[in-house]
């Protein structure tokens, strides 16, 4: 690589035709556009699709990421644009690294986010290692997030379009991975621009709908998947108030989530009741008033820090944090307990914070993502 050569569009000092890029292709419009865009620019593109859970498995569903139909769509894009495409069987890896933990977390009363674990443990770990084995200079994905060069190296930033931003699901990306990854769509102003590019390249997936659910959860029915993975998990129990008073019966703790109001099947109460806590050991669903959902203190572990100074180099950080993917970042004090644990004090209380969700850190000003951690029940 010559340092005298101008940087190409991927930030590498070599011409595109001498730059090999592995593109992670899910079969959807986003990753297809990335692959087509880079191929048109003259890069040595290699498309790779992961076979994650199909092979006729009961969990697979039509139109989900990395199922049979999507592999076919990814292959068609590669053929149309003239670059090689490979399908790698990661079914066992995906089950061990993502699906099993998802099931166990639900059984423990948490609300897991398997898409984060998939990025962390499969796509940005095993697939990234495969890209290196293929002598690729970098790996590109269709995620809506930005990689920018800062004073201390590559930084992670939110996407330009807040409606498409996927930073919540990518907080665990490490500095080493960020050095190798590229996100060519993060700067686009809207998904409409991506679809317009797909149409310009003549891609058959230009009008393909976005996947809405977790890929291995048909129609968002988490409980059905858990029962299939862990037979006998849906044991009935009691719905109780904060003082332990029985208020009704439930079909199984796995059918409930923190903050849920509808579908409790409790009659004769004057004020609405919400799920406050799930106790799998006693098989109890604890309910109470909405006010009891509010909290300001959030314990975190498995923290991935992307700041310039060490995470535990100061007693606290004033950051913006996001405690659910659908909520905006809010100001908070983040107090390190170690390099990988912290307590977050929200400046304004939030409702329905649940173990198993992520808490993602953002700089107080600007778009920089500073990592995050996993919410747990605390000591």
């Amino acid at each position: 690589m010559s340092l005298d050569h101008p940087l190409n569009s991927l930030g590498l000092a070599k011409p595109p035709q001498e730059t090999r890029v592995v593109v992670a292709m899910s079969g959807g419009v986003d990753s297809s556009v990335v692959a087509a865009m880079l191929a048109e620019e003259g890069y040595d593109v290699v498309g790779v699709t992961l076979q994650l859970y199909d092979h006729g498995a009961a969990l697979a569903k039509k139109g989900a990421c990395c199922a049979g139909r999507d592999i076919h769509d990814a292959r068609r894009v590669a053929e149309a644009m003239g670059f090689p495409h490979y399908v790698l069987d990661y079914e066992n890896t995906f089950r061990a690294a993502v699906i099993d933990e998802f099931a166990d977390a639900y059984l423990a009363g948490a609300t897991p986010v398997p898409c984060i674990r998939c990025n962390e443990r499969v796509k940005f770990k095993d697939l990234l290692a495969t890209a290196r084995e293929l002598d690729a200079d970098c790996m590109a994905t269709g995620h809506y997030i930005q990689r920018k060069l800062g004073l201390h190296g590559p930084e992670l930033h939110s996407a330009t379009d807040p409606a498409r931003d996927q930073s919540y699901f990518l907080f665990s990306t490490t500095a080493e991975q960020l050095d190798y990854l590229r996100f060519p769509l993060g700067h686009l102003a809207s998904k409409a621009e991506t679809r317009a590019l797909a149409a310009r390249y003549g891609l058959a997936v230009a009008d393909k709908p976005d996947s809405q659910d977790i890929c291995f959860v048909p129609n968002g029915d988490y409980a059905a998947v858990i029962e299939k993975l862990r037979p006998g998990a849906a044991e009935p129990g009691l719905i109780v108030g904060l003082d332990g008073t029985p208020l009704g019966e439930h079909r199984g703790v796995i059918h409930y989530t923190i903050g849920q109001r509808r579908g409790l099947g409790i009659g004769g109460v004057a004020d609405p009741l919400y799920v406050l806590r799930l106790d799998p050991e006693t098989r109890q669903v604890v309910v109470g008033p909405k006010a009891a959902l509010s909290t300001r203190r959030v314990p975190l572990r498995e923290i991935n820090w992307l700041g310039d100074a060490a995470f535990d180099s100061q007693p606290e950080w004033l950051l913006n944090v996001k405690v659910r993917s659908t909520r905006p970042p809010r100001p908070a004090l983040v107090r390190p307990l170690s390099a990988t644990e912290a307590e977050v004090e929200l400046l304004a209380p939030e409702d329905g914070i649940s173990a198993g969700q992520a808490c993602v850190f953002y700089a107080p000003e600007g778009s920089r993502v500073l990592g995050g951690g996993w919410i747990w029940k605390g000591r």
Side-chain angles (χ1 to χ4, degrees), residues 29 32-33 36-37 40 73 76-81 194-207:
V29 63
S32 296
V33 165
M37 177 192 303
E40 186 187 59
D73 287 342
R76 281 202 301 166
V77 169
E79 290 173 352
M81 298 302 297
T194 306
R195 294 197 181 277
L197 286 171
R200 182 163 75 80
Y201 297 132
L203 305 183
V205 296
D207 296 321

Side-chain angles (χ1 to χ4, degrees), residues 63-237:
C65 165
C66 308
R69 178 69 197 178
D70 297 282
I71 292 171
H72 173 71
D73 287 342
R75 183 177 291 119
R76 281 202 301 166
V77 169
E79 290 173 352
M81 298 302 297
F83 59 83
H85 174 256
Y86 301 98
V87 179
L88 305 181
D89 185 353
Y90 275 45
E91 185 175 356
N92 290 337
T93 299
F94 185 66
R95 177 152 190 151
V98 179
I99 296 181
D100 283 343
E101 183 188 83
F102 168 84
D104 293 338
Y106 249 96
L107 290 178
T111 308
V113 191
C115 297
I116 298 176
R117 290 300 196 194
C118 182
N119 290 324
E120 172 188 319
R121 297 176 174 176
V122 181
K123 293 176 182 175
F124 290 176
K125 182 183 177 185
D126 295 333
L127 179 54
L128 193 145
T130 298
R132 292 188 186 277
E133 290 171 3
L134 292 171
D135 293 324
D137 295 283
C138 61
M139 187 174 92
T141 79
H143 290 107
Y144 287 87
I145 197 166
Q146 298 186 82
R147 174 190 183 274
K148 298 182 179 182
L149 287 179
L151 294 176
H152 301 273
E155 299 175 351
L156 203 62
H157 287 256
S158 300
T160 297
D161 178 9
R164 304 299 304 179
D165 175 55
Q166 292 177 294
S167 59
Y168 184 86
F169 300 99
L170 296 169
F171 83 86
S172 60
T173 305
T174 66
E176 181 184 8
Q177 292 166 344
L178 191 56
D179 190 54
Y180 193 68
L181 289 164
R182 300 295 187 274
F183 309 107
L185 302 184
H187 69 286
L188 298 183
S190 70
K191 182 61 177 271
E193 287 191 43
T194 306
R195 294 197 181 277
L197 286 171
R200 182 163 75 80
Y201 297 132
L203 305 183
V205 296
D207 296 321
K208 186 174 181 178
D210 292 335
S211 179
Q212 299 297 321
D213 301 319
I214 295 171
C215 65
F216 59 90
V217 181
N219 305 314
D221 191 349
Y222 300 96
V225 172
I226 303 302
E227 288 185 84
K228 193 165 292 185
L229 292 168
R230 302 288 187 268
E235 296 182 11

